[in-house]
Amino acid sequence: DIFTASAETLQRALYHDPARAAELAEPGPDPEDKEAVAKAALERQLNLAAAGKFIWPIPDKGLKKRIHRINTPTLILWGESDGVIPPVYGQEFQRLISGSRLVVMPRCGHLPMLEEPQEFVRIVADFLEGRA
């Protein structure tokens, strides 16, 4: 549950290699700056609350009733180690979106665009140029 997870638990869910999280994520506030730390914590809670209104839980937001309407070429890109939204969702989306293409990126969690940016861009560019 990303809404109640600690920062450490969330890093394990977001990244294939949580040890790289500090390298890939935006730097946080200076731990000595108590006001900045409090502001960052409040901002995180506000962001999670807003996200929760729109995305949680996924099956209850009506997607199942509308997904069949997608009739344009669709690339579904997923991280093999996604601990936030398991890859099985990508497989289900592919099944429900006619003519869609699913690419599961190895060595990636929930943020393949950060973990493997060059491969991510190559896959998207190939798709957009009709090569995939």
Side-chain angles (χ1 to χ4, degrees):
D1 181 351
I2 63 169
F3 301 106
T4 61
S6 68
E8 295 78 26
T9 300
L10 192 54
Q11 284 183 347
R12 286 193 303 275
L14 287 172
Y15 298 98
H16 170 75
D17 179 3
R20 290 188 63 209
E23 166 194 338
L24 298 171
E26 287 186 30
D30 177 356
E32 299 299 316
D33 185 343
K34 301 302 181 199
E35 186 175 330
V37 169
K39 184 177 177 183
L42 175 61
E43 188 172 318
R44 179 176 187 265
Q45 290 300 8
L46 292 173
N47 289 340
L48 287 172
K53 276 186 126 168
F54 293 102
I55 65 169
W56 196 262
I58 291 173
D60 291 348
K61 294 300 179 185
L63 182 60
K64 188 179 255 183
K65 296 176 197 166
R66 298 187 312 267
I67 199 167
H68 71 277
R69 295 180 187 164
I70 300 172
N71 60 8
T72 189
T74 303
L75 173 64
I76 303 163
L77 206 54
W78 223 275
E80 181 179 59
S81 303
D82 191 333
V84 176
I85 305 173
V88 69
Y89 277 94
Q91 296 163 3
E92 184 67 2
F93 290 169
Q94 181 185 28
R95 186 182 73 75
L96 295 171
I97 301 171
S98 179
S100 62
R101 177 164 186 253
L102 172 65
V103 176
V104 178
M105 293 182 62
R107 300 172 314 282
C108 291
H110 189 69
L111 303 167
M113 71 290 287
L114 297 180
E115 291 187 281
E116 296 289 341
Q118 292 165 331
E119 182 65 5
F120 179 88
V121 169
R122 185 196 63 75
I123 292 167
V124 172
D126 285 352
F127 177 79
L128 292 174
E129 293 173 9
R131 294 191 304 248

